Amino acid sequence: MSPRWKSNPDVRTGRHVVYNLHVHLVFVTKYRRKAMTDAMLTRCEEIMREVCADFEAELKQFNGEDDHVHLLVHYPPKVQLSKLVNSLKGVSARMLRKEYDAHVRRYLWGGHFWSGSYFAGSCGGAPLTVVKQYIENQKRPV
């Protein structure tokens, strides 16, 4: 590599790609019920780390409250975000319902755990204004 290249652990390379993709995800419990305990959040983080590893992604940060969780995921460009989300929600719901059945049934019913919707926000890299300015200032051939 070039001697000017400063190694950044977030910038990863593939055979034909250099990437740095992060997404902020928020999952809410069904009906916004306050079903999560501290132990459940800890287990949920473990489950979601395993799912991310299956997708060759990395769960960089995880936290939550009794009715929702926040994730910061670093993922490769070959991963479809919707498939990652479906897997994260599906596997975690199945495992949490199985392991904390009596507690979860007091708050949630009908086989549901997570709300059908979710928040996904791209993050990392330069702000949009900087990227727009950079693209605008490219030297077009005359």
Side-chain angles (χ1 to χ4, degrees):
M1 288 207 189
S2 168
R4 293 182 301 172
W5 177 261
K6 295 217 180 358
S7 180
N8 180 344
D10 285 339
V11 176
R12 297 187 183 163
T13 59
R15 187 168 178 177
H16 298 287
V17 64
V18 177
Y19 64 93
N20 182 15
L21 300 171
H22 287 86
V23 65
H24 173 208
L25 298 171
V26 181
F27 304 149
V28 179
T29 56
K30 188 76 171 177
Y31 310 115
R32 199 94 190 198
R33 303 279 183 185
K34 299 184 182 308
M36 301 288 273
T37 63
D38 183 53
M40 289 175 71
L41 283 170
T42 301
R43 181 64 181 130
C44 187
E45 180 178 3
E46 292 169 1
I47 293 165
M48 291 188 173
R49 278 193 194 285
E50 292 170 13
V51 172
C52 284
D54 291 343
F55 279 82
E56 297 176 28
E58 181 185 0
L59 182 60
K60 292 281 205 176
Q61 196 73 38
F62 178 93
N63 209 345
E65 294 183 13
D66 51 8
D67 62 351
H68 69 278
V69 295
H70 290 265
L71 297 83
L72 179 61
V73 180
H74 189 206
Y75 65 101
K78 69 180 179 180
V79 169
Q80 274 185 301
L81 201 52
S82 60
K83 289 189 178 182
L84 174 62
V85 167
N86 287 341
S87 210
L88 285 166
K89 288 171 73 174
V91 172
S92 63
R94 225 175 6 266
M95 299 292 284
L96 291 172
R97 275 193 161 283
K98 182 178 160 187
E99 295 173 20
Y100 298 93
D101 185 53
H103 175 77
V104 172
R105 273 197 281 168
R106 290 192 349 224
Y107 297 92
L108 300 164
W109 55 89
H112 297 288
F113 191 89
W114 299 113
S115 165
S117 57
Y118 62 92
F119 168 81
S122 63
C123 50
L128 282 178
T129 53
V130 173
V131 174
K132 284 179 183 177
Q133 188 179 29
Y134 176 76
I135 291 171
E136 221 172 72
N137 294 330
Q138 293 297 297
K139 294 181 178 156
R140 287 181 80 132
V142 186

